[in-house]
């Protein structure tokens, strides 16, 4: 062997050894982060031993002697699997992300410090009754017990970012509750968009696209000039940018739930189903857990960072939730003294804003001191100093999330409840977020309740920003709990919600303008009413249903318009027409017609509205697809509307048919440009493929390692099997079914669940993505609450023991 070959061989060996060593080091680092799931651990603060039995899916079943130990153990095991997610959520709520990620998330931190979730959480925690604080503190003890178990147990994300999470506090749990409520709030985008529209388009056009129906009261209309247009749009941009920095897509709202009484099931026992629609992420939003002890024996889905569970069942009852879509926030336009940016007008008098200085730590940069200004309505969300000199106005936020309520008390009571009356007693304590609560029990009863706070606005609606300079425009308290919409054992034998309009607002007063279109609730109702009795399997199929009632209503409009236009019966456009004509409107992954429909439908919205609104405001308008779809339905239902006329073609007055044909042409041209002329590349599952993203998703190399996907997937925003994409970012899904649950009381103490990912947040865990295939295919795993059955099945047992005091 020549000298050169020996040198090259030596270099190759060194390279291979180096790469192998790096891979081995990375592998061992990732492995070290995996939690201990068997054997014995000692935890200071426990009153007695606790058994943590993990089943084949990695679900912890926690058996303790009292509530303190139960919740402490829940905090410990959740931190074992999801500490990184918990700390990220806590930091997002408090506006402390820039400390880890630098200036790229500074706008989010500014917004959170302005809204003041951290300040609110600290104040609320102090006001909570002793029992609620004790529950939060027990959970925090468990998290801190894990944090004290050694740096080598920290998640790899913490090691990559080179930091260790600080100690957990009970008020951190409160902050997470309020952050989830803020994430579910719709007013921030819709109200500001309509405030900008009021100053942009003429009153007739505005009246046609207001999303609120009859509610029995006047509309606040004292704003709507050009100054307010720019003011609202600037505030909207600030909020949109800040939310985007943490991946909060505007339209990521929704859910389905229903409960069938025994008269509607094949077994004679109730069935309850729930599938919340949220942003899809790695790790999953939900964490499954079974809690047994201290008067609790329940199994369900918890939010990492919170004790108890939000959705699930105990031995007697089951419950599920969907977003109530209640309008729980308003923006008040304040008149600011142009000579003094801290003064604002209130019933003819000048008041002075209070000021809070917030210091934001920023990785790689100097700390930022951020001043927050507050009026009687709440925090000013735009830059008062910059805007005051221009328009003499500012915008303040009035939000239910700043008010006192005790969600922990509600969770503690519901998880123990044995009857509908006990559930109602518990839900009176919950203020935010407002949720559609669906119920079933072992005695055959079913029920529905709107939980949370419904603001009273003195008869007016809450769509447009409100003038803050007159106290008559302030909220007038809240809708009394006894008047909240509710049903118990209705004659039709079922209750169901899908973020639809839930009640007659003419009788109750204004509740909201932000309902989803009726597509999903209509499909659910039709399916349930279409059979005398349904089986559990029928319900599981319904959760995966992809028939688009929106397509069934809109596709005929495209077909008729195309036929009236008498276009040539050749070419790609005609092939698209033929595909639509033969389509059954089921949004299967292999469908080509589905892709054509979505492209044409999206362009239809643009062709109707964008010329009058302008691109900037149109993008904001379609940010919540549900509202945009409903408004489009309103305009189309009129048959003729000034919105149909394209203002860029003054020589012609366009009709709806003109826009339908143009939209079909635009959609086909877009698909040809993006996917090419080969129709096999237009399959909906490929165009709409889903990747579930990790927070490291944009990082080189790391992103692909931590992300899950891509996978072909069917469905869309308005199908029961909900997989949504932003209309401004076609057609990549951002949100969808965050978990599925089916409870059949004929099966005893079991629940059927599935997550989009898995239980664990650790990349090396076998439970990191072990449920994804089942989630895609509509399958479930069975979780039992029977301790003997758990021991007979494959499991791991970790015993947590009180730490013994060491004698010196």
């Amino acid at each position: 062997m020549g000298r050169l070959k020996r040198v090259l061989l030596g270099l190759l060996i060194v390279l291979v050894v180096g790469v192998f060593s790096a891979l081995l080091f990375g592998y061992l680092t990732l492995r070290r982060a995996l939690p201990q799931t068997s054997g014995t651990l000692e935890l200071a603060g426990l009153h007695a031993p606790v058994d943590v039995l993990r089943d084949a899916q990695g679900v912890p079943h926690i058996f303790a002697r009292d509530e303190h130990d139960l919740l402490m153990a829940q905090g410990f095991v959740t931190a074992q699997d999801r500490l990184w997610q918990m700390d990220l959520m806590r930091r997002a709520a408090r506006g402390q992300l820039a400390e880890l990620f630098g200036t790229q998330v500074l706008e989010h931190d500014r917004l959170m410090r302005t809204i003041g979730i951290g300040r609110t959480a600290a104040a609320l925690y102090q006001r909570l009754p002793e029992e609620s604080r004790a529950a939060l503190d027990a959970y925090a003890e468990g998290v801190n017990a894990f944090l004290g178990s050694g740096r080598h147990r920290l998640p790899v994300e913490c090691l990559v970012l080179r930091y260790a999470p600080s100690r957990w506090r009970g008020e951190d749990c409160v902050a997470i509750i309020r952050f989830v409520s803020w994430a579910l709030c719709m007013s921030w985008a819709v109200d500001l968009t309509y405030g900008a529209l009021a100053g942009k388009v003429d009153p007739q056009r505005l009246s046609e696209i207001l999303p609120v129906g009859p509610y029995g009261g006047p509309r606040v209309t004292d704003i709507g000039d050009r100054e307010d247009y720019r003011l609202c749009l600037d505030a909207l941009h600030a909020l949109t940018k800040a939310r985007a920095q943490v991946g909060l897509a505007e339209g990521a709202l929704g859910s389905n739930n229903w409960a069938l009484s025994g008269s509607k099931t094949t077994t004679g026992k109730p069935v309850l189903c729930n599938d919340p629609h949220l942003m899809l992420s790695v790790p999953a939003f939900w964490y499954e857990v079974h809690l047994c002890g201290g008067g609790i024996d329940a199994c369900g889905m918890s939010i990492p960072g919170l004790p108890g569970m939000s959705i699930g069942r105990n031995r007697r009852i089951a419950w599920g939730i969907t977003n109530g879509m209640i309008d729980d926030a308003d923006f008040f336009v304040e008149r600011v003294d142009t000579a003094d940016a801290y003064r604002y007008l209130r019933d003819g008098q000048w008041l002075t804003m209070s000021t809070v200085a917030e210091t934001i730590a920023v990785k790689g940069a100097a700390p930022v001191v951020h001043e927050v200004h507050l009026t009687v309505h709440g925090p000013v969300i735009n830059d008062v100093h910059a805007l005051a000199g221009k328009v003499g106005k500012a915008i303040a936020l009035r939000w239910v999330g700043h008010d006192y309520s005790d969600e922990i008390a509600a969770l503690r009571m519901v998880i123990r409840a044995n009857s509908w009356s006990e559930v109602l007693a518990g839900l009176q304590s919950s203020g935010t977020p407002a949720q559609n609560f669906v119920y079933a029990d072992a005695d055959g009863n079913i029920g529905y309740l709107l939980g949370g706070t419904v603001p009273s606005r003195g008869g007016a609606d809450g769509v447009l920003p409100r003038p803050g300079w007159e106290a008559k425009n302030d909220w007038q308290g809240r809708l009394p709990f006894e008047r909240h919409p509710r049903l118990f054992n209705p004659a039709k034998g079922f209750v169901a919600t899908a973020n639809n309009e839930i009640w007659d607002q003419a009788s109750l007063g204004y509740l909201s303008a932000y309902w989803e279109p009726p597509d999903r609730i209509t499909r659910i109702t039709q399916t349930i009413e279409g059979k005398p009795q349904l089986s559990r399997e029928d319900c599981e199929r319904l959760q995966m249903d992809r028939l688009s009632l929106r397509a069934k209503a809109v596709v005929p409009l495209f077909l008729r318009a195309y036929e009236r236009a008498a276009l040539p019966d050749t070419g790609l456009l005609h092939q698209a027409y033929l595909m639509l004509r033969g389509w059954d409107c089921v949004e299967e992954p292999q469908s080509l017609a589905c892709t054509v429909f979505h492209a044409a439908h999206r362009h239809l919205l643009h062709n109707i509205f964008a010329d009058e609104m302008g691109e900037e405001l149109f993008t904001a308008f379609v940010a919540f697809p549900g509202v945009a779809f409903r408004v489009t339905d309103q305009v189309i239902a009129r048959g003729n509307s000034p919105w149909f006329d394209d203002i860029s073609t003054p020589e012609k007055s366009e009709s709806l048919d003109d826009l339908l044909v143009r939209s079909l042409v635009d959609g086909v041209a877009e698909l040809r440009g993006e996917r090419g002329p080969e129709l096999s590349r237009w399959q909906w599952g490929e165009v709409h493929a889903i990747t579930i993203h990790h927070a490291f998703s944009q990082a080189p190399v790391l992103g692909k390692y931590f992300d899950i996907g891509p996978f072909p997937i069917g469905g869309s925003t308005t199908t029961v099997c909900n997989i949504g994409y932003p209309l401004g970012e076609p057609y990549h899904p951002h949100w969808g079914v965050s978990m599925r649950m089916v409870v059949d009381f004929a099966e005893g103490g079991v629940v059927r669940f599935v997550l989009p990912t898995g239980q664990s947040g650790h990349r090396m865990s076998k439970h990191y993505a072990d449920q994804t295939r089942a989630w895609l295919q509509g399958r479930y795993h069975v979780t039992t609450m029977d301790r003997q059955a758990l021991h007979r099945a494959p499991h791991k047992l970790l015993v947590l023991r009180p730490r013994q005091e060491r004698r010196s």
Side-chain angles (χ1 to χ4, degrees), residues 61-273:
H61 300 254
I62 305 172
F63 299 91
R65 296 186 188 177
D66 61 32
E67 183 181 4
H68 168 273
D69 285 3
L70 187 70
L71 298 183
M72 182 178 174
Q74 184 187 8
F76 181 85
V77 300
T78 307
Q80 282 187 304
D81 287 330
R82 301 286 192 91
L83 178 64
W84 156 251
Q85 178 186 23
M86 294 165 63
D87 191 52
L88 201 65
M89 183 92 80
R90 169 175 64 168
R91 286 176 173 276
R94 293 184 171 280
Q96 296 175 336
L97 289 175
E99 188 175 349
L100 298 184
F101 299 104
T103 57
Q104 62 183 340
V105 293
L106 186 55
E107 294 304 313
H108 168 269
D109 282 3
R110 286 181 183 272
L111 175 62
M112 287 298 101
R113 300 300 182 98
T114 298
I115 293 174
I117 288 178
R119 297 190 302 272
T120 298
L124 293 179
Y125 173 80
Q126 294 301 323
R127 289 185 60 185
L128 291 175
E130 182 179 348
E131 294 83 0
S132 295
R133 287 202 312 273
L136 295 174
D137 291 346
Y139 187 88
E141 274 188 83
V143 178
N144 292 329
F146 176 74
L147 286 171
S149 63
R151 183 177 175 83
H152 68 283
R153 291 290 183 187
L154 290 180
V156 68
E157 292 92 340
C158 295
L159 301 180
V160 169
L161 294 170
R162 297 194 294 180
Y163 89 103
S166 60
R167 288 181 60 79
W168 200 267
R169 296 175 295 174
E171 67 185 60
D172 292 330
C173 303
V174 181
I176 288 176
I177 293 173
R178 298 300 155 126
F179 182 70
V180 170
S181 299
W182 171 252
L184 293 175
C185 176
M186 293 148 287
S187 302
W188 69 271
V190 180
D191 289 11
L192 292 175
T193 297
Y194 275 93
L197 282 167
K200 175 77 170 179
V201 304
D202 63 74
Q204 180 186 354
R205 281 185 171 86
L206 181 67
S207 66
E208 286 194 16
I209 62 169
L210 285 167
V212 63
Y215 56 91
R219 173 166 286 111
V220 177
T221 57
D222 291 350
I223 69 166
D225 56 27
R226 292 290 301 178
E227 292 178 350
D228 294 326
Y229 158 69
R230 193 70 250 174
L231 183 76
C232 291
L233 204 55
D234 286 346
L236 179 63
H237 286 166
L239 268 66
T240 301
K241 181 180 179 182
R243 287 172 66 101
Q245 287 180 345
V246 293
L248 289 177
E250 292 92 334
L253 301 164
S255 302
N256 306 314
N257 63 12
W258 60 87
L260 311 180
S261 71
S263 66
K264 285 293 296 182
T265 68
T266 55
T267 64
K269 297 290 185 180
V271 174
L272 184 143
C273 303

Side-chain angles (χ1 to χ4, degrees), residues 101 110 121 137 149 164 221 260 279 311-312 431 492 516 532 539 553 574 754:
F101 299 104
R110 286 181 183 272
D137 291 346
S149 63
T221 57
L260 311 180
M279 287 291 294
I311 297 167
K492 61 184 180 180
E516 286 286 294
C539 289
H574 189 67
V754 69

Side-chain angles (χ1 to χ4, degrees), residues 399-634:
W399 176 44
V400 162
H402 289 136
D403 297 347
Y404 174 81
S405 56
D406 185 0
E407 287 69 39
I408 299 305
L411 289 173
R412 293 181 68 247
M413 293 183 71
V414 169
I415 204 172
R416 288 178 165 85
N418 292 307
S419 66
W420 179 238
S421 60
E422 291 178 9
V423 165
L424 294 181
L427 290 178
Q428 291 190 64
S429 301
S430 183
T432 185
Q435 298 286 288
N436 292 312
F437 188 97
V438 165
Y439 165 95
D441 67 31
D443 294 327
N445 300 302
I446 60 171
Y448 161 80
L449 173 77
L450 172 64
T453 296
V454 179
S456 175
R457 295 171 170 87
D461 70 51
V463 176
L464 293 171
R466 306 164 72 80
W469 51 88
E470 293 180 318
K472 69 178 183 180
N473 295 318
D474 292 354
W475 288 359
Q476 310 295 317
R478 60 180 63 186
L479 183 72
F481 182 78
E482 57 271 15
R483 294 192 63 205
H484 278 218
R486 67 189 67 193
L487 294 167
F488 186 63
N489 289 334
K492 61 184 180 180
F494 71 94
V495 291
T497 76
N499 316 114
N500 52 292
E501 187 167 7
I502 53 175
W503 218 258
D504 176 16
Q505 297 193 78
S507 63
L508 275 182
Y510 174 74
L511 300 175
S512 182
Y514 308 136
W515 317 110
E516 286 286 294
D519 306 284
R520 284 187 288 117
I521 189 61
T522 301
R523 178 60 179 159
I524 291 168
T525 302
Q526 288 176 348
T527 302
I528 294 174
E529 291 179 339
K531 297 182 71 173
Q533 285 88 31
L534 285 81
S535 66
R536 170 181 55 77
E537 291 82 4
D538 289 328
C539 289
E540 292 172 357
R541 282 190 288 270
L542 180 53
Q543 286 191 327
M544 289 296 293
D545 188 273
R546 291 172 176 151
L547 176 66
S548 172
L549 295 187
R550 175 147 302 270
K552 273 190 166 295
V554 177
V555 165
L557 301 181
F558 282 112
L559 296 179
R560 283 196 294 268
Y562 182 89
E563 291 158 2
R564 289 168 184 161
L567 295 172
D569 59 358
T570 59
L572 204 55
L573 181 63
H574 189 67
Q575 290 183 63
Y577 158 75
L578 293 175
M579 284 190 291
L580 287 178
R581 195 173 70 176
W583 185 35
D584 61 3
C585 296
V586 178
E587 298 191 342
E588 296 293 357
Q590 66 272 20
S591 174
L592 304 177
C594 180
T595 307
V596 172
F597 166 70
H598 277 272
H601 187 250
R602 193 176 65 85
H603 280 281
L604 179 62
L605 269 65
H606 187 273
N607 288 330
I608 292 175
F609 298 113
D611 55 323
E612 288 93 344
M613 294 181 180
E615 292 295 336
E616 185 179 39
L617 196 47
F618 173 75
T619 299
F621 173 70
V622 297
F624 276 101
V627 172
F629 288 166
R630 282 201 298 113
V631 164
T632 304
D633 293 345
Q634 289 175 198

Side-chain angles (χ1 to χ4, degrees), residues 596-747:
V596 172
F597 166 70
H598 277 272
H601 187 250
R602 193 176 65 85
H603 280 281
L604 179 62
L605 269 65
H606 187 273
N607 288 330
I608 292 175
F609 298 113
D611 55 323
E612 288 93 344
M613 294 181 180
E615 292 295 336
E616 185 179 39
L617 196 47
F618 173 75
T619 299
F621 173 70
V622 297
F624 276 101
V627 172
F629 288 166
R630 282 201 298 113
V631 164
T632 304
D633 293 345
Q634 289 175 198
V635 173
I636 290 176
R638 293 177 62 89
N640 189 26
S641 169
W643 285 102
F644 298 150
D645 183 32
D646 186 345
I647 63 174
S648 67
T649 58
E651 73 283 357
K652 179 183 179 183
S653 179
E654 282 81 6
S655 67
L656 175 59
D657 272 6
D658 292 329
L659 298 188
L660 286 162
V661 173
R662 182 193 299 178
S663 301
L664 187 57
V665 170
D666 291 346
V668 171
E670 173 197 287
L671 292 172
R672 181 186 181 112
E674 294 289 330
R675 309 293 295 183
E678 180 57 52
L679 292 181
S680 63
R681 298 191 65 238
W682 291 20
Q683 290 189 31
W684 181 235
E686 299 297 330
V687 174
H688 188 236
I690 187 168
T691 297
I692 307 177
H693 294 290
H694 185 275
F696 285 178
S697 186
Q698 299 304 313
V701 182
L702 284 177
K704 290 185 178 180
Y705 182 72
F706 284 94
D707 289 350
I708 300 173
F711 303 101
I713 198 164
S716 66
T717 306
T718 57
T719 56
V720 176
C721 183
N722 189 276
I723 303 292
Y725 62 89
L727 292 176
E729 193 179 332
Y731 296 92
H732 306 296
H734 284 207
W735 65 87
V737 177
S738 61
M739 73 89 182
R740 294 187 186 95
M741 176 182 78
V742 177
V743 177
D744 183 352
F745 278 90
E747 293 188 306

